[in-house]
Amino acid sequence: MRKIISGNEAVALAVKLARVGVVGIYPITPQTTIIEELAEMKLRGEVSADVVRVESEHSAMGVTLGAAVSGVRAFTATSSQGLLYMHEMVWWAAGSRAPLVMVVATRAVGAPWNIWNENTDFMSERDSGWIMAFASSPQEALDLTIQAFRVSEDPRVFLPMMVGMDGFVLSHTKTNVYIPSQEDVDEFLPPRRQPYVIDPETQESMGNIFQPFDYMKLRHSIHESIESSQDVIREIGREYEKLNPLSDYKTLNVEYKLEDADYAVVTMGAWSLDAMEAVDRLRQEGVNVGLYRVRYIRPWATDEIMRALGDKKGVIVFDRATSLGRGGPLYLEMKATIDSPVKGVVTGLGGVSIGKKDFYHVISKSIEEFRFKSFREVEWYYPGEVKEVELGTPRSSI
């Protein structure tokens, strides 16, 4: 079945199809309509999940984690300051090796207040021990959310998983989405099983103080599980293609016209489609350039990336997030992976709109810089309507 729905509606449908047992909810823009949709489904009797309203995002993750260690399929969603507020519990979920799923509709982080799109909130959790995927369309938001429950609950992984998507750009934009049947999802995603259940009637416990060697071994085991989850994700992705014949999840990340490309563009999320149009235009002008879309931040697909980008004369990485003082986090990850020349472009922060003309301009200019070996490693790009950029300190106006 196909429906015209937003990214947030697609995620809520995925949670319904996954037969989630507990949803911990606390509102924050732009993810709020996910939990509103789930609450309305509950009211209409379409889901049997316990929808638990709490007083903060910290508690939302606490409820979700508590349900997960009790053996219940569990879900929550958040954004921006909400993710930062639940940060402590995000680490507890990973350290508890608790399978659960969270969707992050990305948004800029304060101060100052800004409700528009930016990926810094999502990227700030990449060291927390979660499996992390990022969608480029409402369709992918639905597909990845369903797959996330299967990946997270796989005994070879047994870690929480978060799915990111661009706030407003995907969360509130409606497109044509293919929705698999409940029967197909039931076959793909069997009832949750786990080797332990925390129950008040038993003497099982979790999270007590660990001796140093045991603590280090736990961290090592999470590292190994994230690394080995690549094969699990590919296996589950291939199986998921039976539910959605139009999908392609054989690999963690996605290549576009890269085979014969001299230069490559790296993106993540919704603006990848604009970048693909810029690549098409440059191809028509005789420039051999392709695109590599990062779909998984953790695990980091080192082998896939080296095979796709290791022989390029130049790689341009677009980041909608910052590691202030170092450039963008995607750029840093890519630079640590390949020997090819890598240029990082930080742009689109706080909702600054970047379109295909901007991608065309930056990619064209960067390729010329690579040719003359004169590229700046990190550039902050403002779109054409910004004629002059004057930066200030607290003693002057910005």
Side-chain angles (χ1 to χ4, degrees):
M1 179 176 68
R2 289 185 173 278
K3 288 182 74 174
I4 306 295
I5 55 176
S6 68
N8 280 356
E9 291 169 328
V11 168
L13 267 175
V15 174
K16 173 189 173 185
L17 289 165
R19 298 190 186 277
V20 167
V22 169
V23 182
I25 65 171
Y26 190 78
I28 182 169
T29 301
Q31 71 80 18
T32 303
T33 54
I34 296 176
I35 59 176
E36 286 180 344
E37 183 70 16
L38 286 166
E40 289 177 7
M41 288 178 180
K42 173 72 174 179
L43 194 64
R44 295 193 297 264
E46 296 174 4
V47 296
S48 58
D50 288 328
V51 179
V52 185
R53 292 177 296 171
V54 293
E55 76 284 3
S56 72
E57 289 87 353
H58 190 279
S59 298
M61 181 53 71
V63 164
T64 308
L65 173 57
V69 298
S70 301
V72 178
R73 185 166 289 156
F75 172 84
T76 191
T78 192
S79 302
S80 184
Q81 312 297 128
L83 179 60
L84 270 58
Y85 192 33
M86 69 164 60
H87 179 70
E88 178 188 7
M89 298 307 296
V90 167
W91 282 70
W92 273 101
S96 302
R97 303 292 305 261
L100 61 87
V101 173
M102 173 168 65
V103 165
V104 178
T106 59
R107 168 183 143 181
V109 172
W113 286 116
N114 180 310
I115 64 167
W116 292 284
N117 183 34
E118 184 183 320
N119 304 151
T120 302
D121 51 356
F122 179 83
M123 296 298 279
S124 70
E125 298 294 348
R126 64 193 190 282
D127 293 332
S128 61
W130 286 53
I131 306 296
M132 298 174 68
F134 203 89
S136 66
S137 65
Q139 180 70 64
E140 210 169 61
L142 181 142
D143 293 342
L144 288 173
T145 301
I146 293 173
Q147 291 176 61
F149 288 103
R150 176 80 178 271
V151 172
S152 176
E153 296 172 12
D154 190 291
R156 295 166 289 180
V157 179
F158 245 71
L159 285 169
M161 177 165 171
M162 70 176 74
V163 177
M165 64 175 170
D166 291 287
F168 293 112
V169 179
L170 290 192
S171 65
H172 287 64
T173 301
K174 298 198 176 194
T175 61
N176 199 352
V177 175
Y178 177 82
I179 303 164
S181 69
Q182 183 66 68
E183 292 73 20
D184 285 346
V185 175
D186 286 345
E187 187 175 346
F188 171 79
L189 185 62
R192 180 188 177 104
R193 293 188 299 272
Q194 64 189 56
Y196 66 88
V197 172
I198 301 297
D199 186 325
E201 303 300 321
T202 70
Q203 295 182 356
E204 298 281 348
S205 66
M206 180 176 285
N208 291 326
I209 191 165
F210 267 33
Q211 294 300 315
F213 280 123
D214 292 326
Y215 179 90
M216 184 168 173
K217 285 193 289 184
L218 173 65
R219 285 289 182 265
H220 193 177
S221 76
I222 294 174
H223 168 80
E224 292 290 324
S225 292
I226 292 175
E227 286 269 289
S228 62
S229 69
Q230 294 187 47
D231 291 337
V232 177
I233 290 167
R234 293 187 190 102
E235 174 187 313
I236 289 172
R238 287 193 294 271
E239 192 174 333
Y240 186 83
E241 289 175 10
K242 299 174 186 172
L243 277 67
N244 180 357
L246 302 177
S247 65
D248 183 1
Y249 293 102
K250 296 181 183 66
T251 54
L252 274 71
N253 300 327
V254 180
E255 298 181 22
Y256 181 71
K257 298 185 177 179
L258 266 180
E259 283 189 2
D260 63 341
D262 295 323
Y263 301 94
V265 177
V266 175
T267 58
M268 183 182 82
W271 65 4
S272 302
L273 297 177
D274 290 315
M276 287 165 68
E277 289 197 42
V279 165
D280 287 342
R281 181 178 167 188
L282 285 161
R283 282 267 174 178
Q284 290 169 4
E285 295 173 2
V287 180
N288 279 343
V289 60
L291 182 140
Y292 190 78
R293 177 164 67 84
V294 175
R295 190 159 54 193
Y296 275 85
I297 292 295
R298 293 290 183 273
W300 185 249
T302 300
D303 291 343
E304 283 188 17
I305 292 167
M306 290 180 68
R307 188 183 64 253
L309 304 176
D311 63 345
K312 303 310 176 197
K313 296 177 181 176
V315 176
I316 310 151
V317 182
F318 286 87
D319 266 290
R320 202 165 218 155
T322 56
S323 176
L324 292 172
R326 291 287 290 160
L330 207 53
Y331 155 75
L332 293 171
E333 297 274 10
M334 204 56 70
K335 192 171 174 59
T337 306
I338 57 177
D339 294 328
S340 304
V342 180
K343 173 180 177 177
V345 180
V346 175
T347 189
L349 304 184
V352 170
S353 181
I354 300 297
K356 56 189 176 186
K357 290 182 180 177
D358 298 295
F359 279 108
Y360 174 83
H361 171 72
V362 176
I363 296 167
S364 304
K365 182 169 73 77
S366 300
I367 288 175
E368 284 303 303
E369 291 171 357
F370 283 131
R371 285 172 175 162
F372 290 99
K373 302 185 188 305
S374 63
F375 69 95
R376 280 187 293 167
E377 291 212 348
V378 176
E379 174 184 350
W380 284 63
Y381 172 76
Y382 294 82
E385 63 263 33
V386 180
K387 302 301 180 187
E388 187 175 358
V389 178
E390 294 182 2
L391 305 179
T393 68
R395 293 186 179 181
S396 63
S397 60
I398 294 178

